[in-house]
Every structure is written in structure tokens, then in C-alpha cells.
Amino acid sequence: MNIGSYNELRIVSKTEAGLNLTDGDKLVLLPYSHVPKDAEIGDNLNVFVFVQKDGRLTATTQKAYASVGDFAFLKVVADGEEGAFMDLGIDKDIYVPTKEQLRPMRMGEKHVVFLFLDEGNDRLLASSKLYDFVENETFDFEEGDEVNLLISEETDLGYNAIINNKYIGLLFFNEVFTNVKVGDRRKGWIKNIRVDEKIDLTLQPSGYSHVISSKDMILAELKKHGGIIPLGDKSHPEDIYERFQISKSVFKKTIGALYKERIIKLSDDEIVLIAGED
């Protein structure tokens, strides 16, 4: 049975407190308050399983925000000298011992944490010391690959982000042209895997394939706005991103390609569609 995660279990009997479910080996109680109305003995249910403070296995049909092995952005609902509790989306809050807090947690705050099981009693715990749980070698991606990001922390250089729920990388401030905050889930790309095995990230695709798609987008915008767009080589990266959601680097490669094809005329602050291209 996967404690701290979802399990497909069979209903085998009823008790005064709820239904007994089994994986063929262990029994777990599903309280009546979480039992679907049409559930019958012999049915299978997909439930989240956790251990109560007294050691009892308990199941719920509530949807947890995360499972063991996940990084998640959770809210602190209680704090004390020994630890804090965070809302997991079910009746059972998740405990974060003080020793697992990168910085002291206070009620009402939200933090990115990693969920794991206590080796001694299988109790579900969380930690904000993320570097203790990310992998830092044998990457299963290459430079240029699209990845899923969870923004985990703002630093002096940019934003740390969890990559594919497994690794950690850095999104530099000069690679960000939109509002980003801790807890955001974003699509990103691997910009660089450094020799020290640290990972640089970007929110923009790279490579010529992206230039090709950007050409179509810019041409469509030119035709839509009378053949003129007030953006050029000297335009601010933020203005370019606001209009096209691409970096200035990709923008310059794209308009450069259009210029070489004699489709547009360029200036520092304007691109113009050449007559006959509309």
C-alpha cells in the first residue's frame, strides 16, 4: 500500500466507523463521511491513504494537493516551536518539523515544500529544505527541451524553480519578461546545463524552429495593423514580450530573417511590411 499517495482499494466490509478497504494485504479505514453514496462491498475506490497520529491507516476520497515525492506550494495553517502544519486539501494537515524548515514558518504564509514519509513510523511530513530532495545528476533532458516548472524561491540572481518535480534550476531575472512569483507553475525550457551540473532556465523556446513560428505570428500582426508595428531593434524587451510573448533575442532573429527575405523594412523602433507582401 502506498502511504501518502493514492491507491486503488477494494471494499471488503463495514464497521461502525466506516468501510474497511484492502489492497489484498493490509486493511485501511475509510470513514463514512468520505464514502461515496453508491459504494458497495466489492467495489474498488481510488483513495488517498495516510497514517493517523496513533498509527492507524486511514483513507479519504478527498483530493490532496500533493502526494509523497511531490514538490508543492502549500499554506501554513498552524505554527509552534516544534513545527508547523500545512493545508494538504484533506482533513489531515501535513507536519513540517522545525528542523525541516529552511526559514521559520508562520501561520498564513505559503511555502514550496517536498512531501516524504518519516522512516520510523510512515507519518507524512514536509520539508522546505528543497536541495535535500532534488536530484543533481543524470538529467533526463537536454538543452532546449521543454519542461514543467514550479517557481520555488526568489534569489539575488533570479528565481529558483523545480524542474519536472525532480531537479532544480535558475531562471535569471533577464530571462523574465512577465510577472513571476513563488508558487507559479510554468512551462519553461532548458537553456544551459553548466559544467558544474547547475541548470539555467528560460521561459522562452530557443532554436530556429521557434523563429519560424514567430515569423508567422509577426506577419499576421503586421497585416492586422496596416503593415506597421512600432517595435524594432532598439525596443525594450518588456515591450516586445508584452506584444508577442517572445524574448528580444528571438524577436531580433525573427525580424532579421524577415528582412533577409525582403518581406519587411527595419528601423530602430519600427518594422514595416513591404508592399506586395500583404
Side-chain angles (χ1 to χ4, degrees):
M1 192 171 296
N2 297 316
I3 299 172
S5 188
Y6 289 92
N7 296 258
E8 191 78 15
L9 304 180
R10 183 177 295 275
I11 304 172
V12 291
S13 62
K14 297 181 178 180
T15 71
E16 291 184 0
L19 302 180
N20 281 325
L21 313 180
T22 186
D23 61 353
D25 180 23
K26 297 180 179 179
L27 285 178
V28 56
L29 179 69
L30 175 64
Y32 282 121
S33 58
H34 299 154
V35 174
K37 291 182 179 179
D38 56 352
E40 299 289 345
I41 291 178
D43 290 348
N44 287 340
L45 294 178
N46 188 40
V47 293
F48 187 87
V49 176
F50 59 92
V51 176
Q52 296 280 16
K53 193 172 183 179
D54 60 8
R56 288 180 298 118
L57 278 177
T58 304
T60 179
T61 52
Q62 294 174 305
K63 299 301 180 184
Y65 296 141
S67 301
V68 164
D70 288 341
F71 293 88
F73 188 50
L74 303 179
K75 183 177 181 178
V76 180
V77 293
D79 63 74
E81 292 184 4
E82 295 184 357
F85 289 90
M86 307 186 86
D87 180 17
L88 192 57
I90 62 177
D91 288 346
K92 176 72 172 178
D93 295 326
I94 188 167
Y95 184 56
V96 189
T98 299
K99 67 178 182 179
E100 292 295 342
Q101 298 177 25
L102 184 63
R103 289 179 292 275
M105 292 182 172
R106 298 291 178 257
M107 188 168 63
E109 296 177 347
K110 298 189 77 172
H111 298 263
V112 174
V113 294
F114 180 79
L115 279 64
F116 65 101
L117 293 180
D118 188 310
E119 293 182 357
N121 55 22
D122 283 339
R123 189 180 181 188
L124 186 57
L125 301 176
S127 174
S128 58
K129 295 183 177 181
L130 307 184
Y131 277 95
D132 291 345
F133 301 95
V134 294
E135 296 188 24
N136 53 21
E137 56 185 14
T138 62
F139 303 126
D140 54 9
F141 47 67
E142 298 177 351
E143 292 180 6
D145 282 358
E146 180 180 321
V147 291
N148 295 315
L149 304 177
L150 170 60
I151 308 300
S152 58
E153 182 185 23
E154 184 174 351
T155 73
D156 292 339
L157 298 176
Y159 296 92
N160 285 333
I162 302 299
I163 306 167
N164 291 346
N165 199 48
K166 193 173 183 180
Y167 308 98
I168 197 164
L170 179 62
L171 180 64
F172 288 94
F173 284 128
N174 63 2
E175 292 288 342
V176 178
F177 307 103
T178 186
N179 183 37
V180 170
K181 59 184 184 298
V182 174
D184 284 352
R185 291 190 179 272
R186 299 279 182 136
K187 181 168 64 174
W189 284 263
I190 304 298
K191 183 178 182 180
N192 184 36
I193 301 174
R194 305 206 300 259
V195 292
D196 59 1
E197 296 188 328
K198 293 184 178 180
I199 304 166
D200 298 337
L201 300 166
T202 177
L203 297 180
Q204 304 299 317
S206 59
Y208 194 71
S209 61
H210 189 50
V211 171
I212 294 174
S213 63
S214 298
K215 285 170 62 177
D216 294 336
M217 177 175 60
I218 289 175
L219 281 173
E221 278 289 292
L222 280 164
K223 294 172 183 178
K224 182 179 178 181
H225 293 90
I228 299 175
I229 293 176
L231 293 171
D233 277 347
K234 301 298 184 182
S235 297
H236 291 294
E238 293 82 2
D239 295 333
I240 294 169
Y241 188 87
E242 183 178 355
R243 183 146 194 170
F244 295 115
Q245 285 73 57
I246 59 176
S247 68
K248 184 170 182 177
S249 174
V250 171
F251 175 75
K252 291 182 70 173
K253 289 178 183 177
T254 304
I255 62 176
L258 291 171
Y259 177 76
K260 288 179 181 178
E261 295 172 22
R262 299 183 179 179
I263 295 174
I264 63 170
K265 292 186 292 184
L266 290 176
S267 68
D268 287 346
D269 54 12
E270 188 177 72
I271 54 178
V272 179
L273 187 66
I274 293 175
E277 295 296 336
D278 55 353

